[in-house]
């Protein structure tokens, strides 16, 4: 971890007094090696163990240091869930770790095996299409109702002229549908329609007929109620089962579940379902580098089989199928959106705690704040 200190190769350093004959000297106690390594890594991000700043690490279990060295980012999240550490501002702690690129210096040996599996296998194959819904989207509509905006839009808000979460989500929907040049009488496909908020907005504001598809049974149940009385059809359906045509197609916050081995097929399906003069709008989180799998803690506890695309991966997949007319990035807005979700979750937790245990609370809190940190650091 560094060059030897002065005097470490033979006697005391210059200017250091020698002990008197027969006097036993005590060496200053040094922290265990695992703690020393972690202190060094945290120091690169200006984080102190036991410090008094909001982003400093407060350790509750001394086994934490060795656990982090063995397990990397997966262990960081799991140990937080277990109550081994805290920070007043978890998001700022992780933001600093990401900006200092600390994760590149701590790699779990299992990471190489997971990456190899992602290269060889197709985790997002049709037989696993409904897995993410069962593990994430179907864990309780009441949780999402309390956390999200009034339309229940579970993706990044657009904050340019907004001051509240409701305004930011409505601005994002309006932005998306203006880009699609929706007109009354058109037929719109919404791939990954969530709880029906976007479909209802499009039907009410633009007078279009909407088909929304999702792999979540709970979302279907609520979306059908949300869109009752409108020209909206909500289906429990995987995108690979589509075989009809539409004037416009939109996909908001679903592409993160498609996976790189399926990008080509996804865009081929969309192209086949779109009329010759049609438009397709894709709204997705993206990563700065092309990868084969997602962050291990997020994959295990929040979004199984997910993967963030890079600009290069999207561009390669649409080549020969679409002309990219407009590329609009507003990633920093997701930091603010996630903090709104976190505050809503914290404020409404008393209404949820009988349904979920304390470990779930810490898991969900870590999820929202860690994700906010990734956008703040411009990693996503």
């Amino acid at each position: 971890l560094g060059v030897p200190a002065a005097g470490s190769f033979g006697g005391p350093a210059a200017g250091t007094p020698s002990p008197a004959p027969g006097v036993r000297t005590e060496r200053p106690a040094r922290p265990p090696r695992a703690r020393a390594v972690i202190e060094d890594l945290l120091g690169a991000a200006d984080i102190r163990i036991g410090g008094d700043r909001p982003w400093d690490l407060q350790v509750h279990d001394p086994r934490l240091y060795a656990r982090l060295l063995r397990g990397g980012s997966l262990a960081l999240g799991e140990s937080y869930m277990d109550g081994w550490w805290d920070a007043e501002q978890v998001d700022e702690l992780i933001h600093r770790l990401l900006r200092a690129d600390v994760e590149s210096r701590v790699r779990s040996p299992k990471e190489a095996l997971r990456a190899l599996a992602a290269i060889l296998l197709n985790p997002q194959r049709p037989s696993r299409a409904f897995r993410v819904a069962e593990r994430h989207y179907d864990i309780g509509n009441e949780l999402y109702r309390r956390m999200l905006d009034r339309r229940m839009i579970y993706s990044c808000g657009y904050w340019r002229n907004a001051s509240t979460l409701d305004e930011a989500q409505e601005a994002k929907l309006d932005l998306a549908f203006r880009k699609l040049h929706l007109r009354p009488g058109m037929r719109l496909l919404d791939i990954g329609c969530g709880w029906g908020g976007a479909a209802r907005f499009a039907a009410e504001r633009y007078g279009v007929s909407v088909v929304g598809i999702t792999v979540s049974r709970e979302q279907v149940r609520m979306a059908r109620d949300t869109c009752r009385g409108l020209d909206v059809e909500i289906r429990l359906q995987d995108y690979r089962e589509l075989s009809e045509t539409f004037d416009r197609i939109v996909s908001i916050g679903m592409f993160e579940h498609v996976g790189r081995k399926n990008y080509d097929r996804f865009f081929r399906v969309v192209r086949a379902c779109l009329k010759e003069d049609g438009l397709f709008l894709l709204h997705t989180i993206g990563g700065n580098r092309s990868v084969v799998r997602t962050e291990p803690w997020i994959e295990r506890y929040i979004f199984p089989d997910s993967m963030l695309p890079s600009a290069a991966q999207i561009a390669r997949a649409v080549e020969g199928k679409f002309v990219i007319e407009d590329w609009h990035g507003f990633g920093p807005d997701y930091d603010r959106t996630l903090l709104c979700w976190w505050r809503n979750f914290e404020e409404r937790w008393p209404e949820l705690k009988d349904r979920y245990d304390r470990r779930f609370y810490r898991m969900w809190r870590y999820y929202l704040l860690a994700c906010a940190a990734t956008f703040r650091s411009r990693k996503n």
Side-chain angles (χ1 to χ4, degrees), residues 13-274:
T16 303
S18 300
V23 176
R24 183 177 179 180
T25 59
E26 295 290 339
R27 291 187 177 182
R30 290 188 298 178
R33 175 168 172 75
R35 172 168 175 157
V37 173
I38 294 299
E39 282 183 331
D40 177 68
L41 292 170
L42 295 178
D46 189 28
I47 299 169
R48 302 173 193 149
I49 297 173
D52 58 3
R53 299 169 302 177
W55 59 85
D56 284 333
L57 185 73
Q58 310 303 323
V59 177
H60 306 311
D61 192 311
R63 295 174 294 173
L64 174 68
Y65 311 111
R67 185 176 182 179
L68 294 180
L69 291 180
R70 289 194 306 268
S73 66
L74 177 61
L76 183 67
E78 288 181 331
S79 59
Y80 182 81
M81 292 165 60
D82 293 338
W84 286 24
W85 66 272
D86 272 300
E88 185 180 334
Q89 292 182 358
V90 172
D91 53 323
E92 188 59 22
L93 180 148
I94 296 176
H95 166 234
R96 288 169 179 268
L97 292 175
L98 292 172
R99 288 297 297 268
D101 200 29
V102 170
E103 75 271 23
S104 68
R105 298 172 61 186
V106 183
R107 294 290 187 186
S108 167
K110 295 180 181 178
E111 279 304 289
L113 295 177
R114 293 191 184 103
L116 180 61
I119 292 172
L120 298 177
L121 305 175
N122 182 3
Q124 299 85 12
R125 56 190 178 275
S127 63
R128 293 166 67 100
F130 291 78
R131 185 167 176 253
V132 68
E134 295 165 357
R135 294 272 302 278
H136 188 81
Y137 296 103
D138 289 346
I139 61 175
N141 284 341
E142 291 308 310
L143 166 65
Y144 293 105
R145 192 197 299 274
R146 287 164 171 80
M147 186 180 83
L148 304 177
D149 65 299
R150 68 184 182 89
R151 297 182 187 277
M152 293 184 68
I153 305 301
Y154 196 21
S155 55
C156 184
Y158 190 55
W159 290 91
R160 175 172 292 180
N161 298 308
S163 58
T164 68
L165 181 61
D166 284 341
E167 291 174 355
Q169 293 295 14
E170 183 165 319
K172 192 270 298 292
L173 294 179
D174 185 61
L175 175 70
F177 293 139
R178 282 189 291 112
K179 285 176 182 284
L180 283 172
H181 300 282
L182 291 184
R183 297 191 303 274
M186 283 184 169
R187 193 163 186 246
L188 170 70
L189 171 65
D190 182 354
I191 302 178
C193 64
W195 291 276
R200 176 169 180 160
F201 185 89
E204 287 181 333
R205 294 289 182 92
Y206 292 91
V208 296
S209 171
V210 186
V211 172
I213 67 169
T214 175
V215 294
S216 165
R217 297 180 188 279
E218 288 297 299
Q219 287 184 340
V220 165
R221 183 169 63 85
M222 180 172 283
R224 286 174 177 168
D225 285 340
T226 297
C227 299
R228 193 179 304 277
L230 297 169
D231 191 2
V232 176
E233 178 187 0
I234 304 295
R235 304 175 186 168
L236 185 70
Q237 187 177 27
D238 181 63
Y239 71 91
R240 284 163 284 214
E241 300 169 353
L242 291 165
S243 61
E244 55 201 290
T245 56
F246 298 86
D247 299 289
R248 301 288 190 265
I249 300 177
V250 66
S251 182
I252 298 177
M254 173 272 179
F255 194 68
E256 298 89 335
H257 303 300
V258 171
R260 68 183 185 91
K261 285 183 175 288
N262 305 292
Y263 290 164
D264 179 72
R265 185 173 182 180
F266 177 86
F267 287 112
R268 279 193 286 112
V269 168
V270 173
R271 181 66 186 85
C273 289
L274 192 63

